[in-house]
Amino acid sequence: MTVIYPSPIFGPVHSRRLGVSLGINLMPADGKLCTFNCIYCECGFNEDFRPKLPRPTREEVRSALEACLQDMRQNGPAPDVLTFAGNGEPTAHPHFPEIIDDTLALRDRYFPRAKVSVLSNSTFIHKPAVFDALDRVDNNILKLDTVDEEYIRTLDRPTGHYSVEAVIERMKAFRGRCIIQTMFLKGGYLGRDMDNTGDRFVLPWLERVKEVSPRQVMIYTIDRETPDHDLRKATREELDRIGDLVRRAGIEVSVSY
């Protein structure tokens, strides 16, 4: 079933990777707005869920977040993380840097031990203000599903200009203050084999990951229903093999099955 998240706050939910996570959705509450149109996205294809509502304003996000944090401080549970995710790319919000400022201030006031995480597809990290905002959060989680440009155009389907080389160069500029998140899957799409678990995809990806030198790599596979039904989960054995390669390269890795 397709998931369209409330806006601007949802959860808390239990994240496979992050613990008790309070979601912050900077996209409209009635549809999806993203610079990728991934064939595995739990929110469905962009064209099937076009929103009519606007994005929440900076003030709407700040006041809704503060109200929720006040309630959680009074009634629980305490969040492990405040996570920017939801119905599309959070860094596409025109006031993303200012919203990060507000969120860090509210976190410090109500739950100073909580981490602030951003799940980003990396399409706006060339913008200095977005780059600086991501550099300030605890978990700057950047997508890099493969380094094969043609495969990215079939799997992630960027909606505008996208250069994997440019993205990797900007990732390097974080000087290790980032986490790379990679989706591994199997199956097919429009008659094409989409399995990216073999050495043909994994070894070139690993070489570029080593260049970026992130503080962690998050490897995961499909967890919920996808809009294209010919895709399948990568196996535990395949994910563990890839995780071992990353570990042997001296990089911390988490694997979600």
Side-chain angles (χ1 to χ4, degrees):
M1 194 178 85
T2 300
V3 181
I4 297 295
Y5 290 94
S7 181
I9 306 298
F10 63 94
V13 297
H14 187 79
S15 162
R16 284 187 294 172
R17 285 153 285 171
L18 302 169
V20 178
S21 172
L22 183 66
I24 305 171
N25 175 24
L26 302 185
M27 296 301 118
D30 65 333
K32 186 182 169 209
L33 209 54
C34 197
T35 48
F36 272 6
N37 194 12
C38 299
I39 61 175
Y40 60 77
C41 182
E42 66 186 17
C43 298
F45 292 135
N46 294 358
E47 58 272 18
D48 295 335
F49 298 94
R50 298 206 184 279
K52 296 183 175 61
L53 296 173
R55 295 181 177 108
T57 64
R58 173 187 178 181
E59 182 50 42
E60 284 168 345
V61 175
R62 196 200 65 75
S63 59
L65 179 58
E66 182 160 32
C68 194
L69 292 176
Q70 285 173 339
D71 180 73
M72 292 174 88
R73 190 157 76 173
Q74 206 166 350
N75 303 308
D80 296 309
V81 64
L82 312 179
T83 306
F84 285 83
N87 306 336
E89 174 53 33
T91 65
H93 193 291
H95 296 291
F96 174 75
E98 296 89 344
I99 291 169
I100 289 294
D101 290 338
D102 295 341
T103 303
L104 291 170
L106 289 170
R107 181 276 308 271
D108 292 347
R109 186 181 312 160
Y110 292 101
F111 290 100
R113 290 187 180 173
K115 306 291 189 195
V116 174
S117 299
V118 179
L119 300 176
S120 171
N121 64 21
S122 313
T123 51
F124 283 91
I125 60 175
H126 64 283
K127 295 193 168 189
V130 169
F131 183 95
D132 291 344
L134 290 173
D135 207 27
R136 293 199 302 279
V137 303
D138 302 289
N139 297 317
N140 169 26
I141 303 171
L142 301 172
K143 175 166 288 301
L144 186 66
D145 282 339
T146 168
V147 296
D148 183 305
E149 193 100 37
E150 186 195 352
Y151 182 89
I152 288 171
R153 300 203 179 282
T154 309
L155 181 75
D156 299 323
R157 302 197 301 166
T159 59
H161 172 74
Y162 181 88
S163 159
V164 72
E165 286 301 319
V167 164
I168 290 168
E169 286 307 309
R170 290 308 286 155
M171 284 180 170
K172 287 185 200 174
F174 283 110
R175 300 184 182 281
R177 280 186 51 81
C178 65
I179 295 168
I180 286 180
Q181 183 189 66
T182 302
M183 164 68 78
F184 289 101
L185 46 68
K186 303 173 70 141
Y189 178 67
L190 299 180
R192 175 170 175 174
D193 179 13
M194 296 306 297
D195 186 339
N196 66 340
T197 63
D199 284 349
R200 181 185 153 219
F201 287 102
V202 171
L203 296 183
W205 165 84
L206 181 58
E207 288 309 306
R208 305 312 299 273
V209 167
K210 288 195 282 193
E211 286 179 35
V212 173
S213 191
R215 65 178 172 86
Q216 187 185 356
V217 172
M218 289 179 169
I219 290 168
Y220 69 127
T221 190
I222 296 166
D223 185 41
R224 300 186 179 98
E225 187 176 336
T226 62
D228 186 87
H229 299 297
D230 293 329
L231 300 174
R232 300 197 317 277
K233 288 172 81 85
T235 66
R236 184 176 286 262
E237 293 73 26
E238 286 161 337
L239 294 174
D240 283 341
R241 181 187 83 88
I242 297 164
D244 286 341
L245 290 172
V246 176
R247 218 170 274 115
R248 270 185 254 150
I251 301 170
E252 183 188 324
V253 64
S254 72
V255 181
S256 301
Y257 304 106

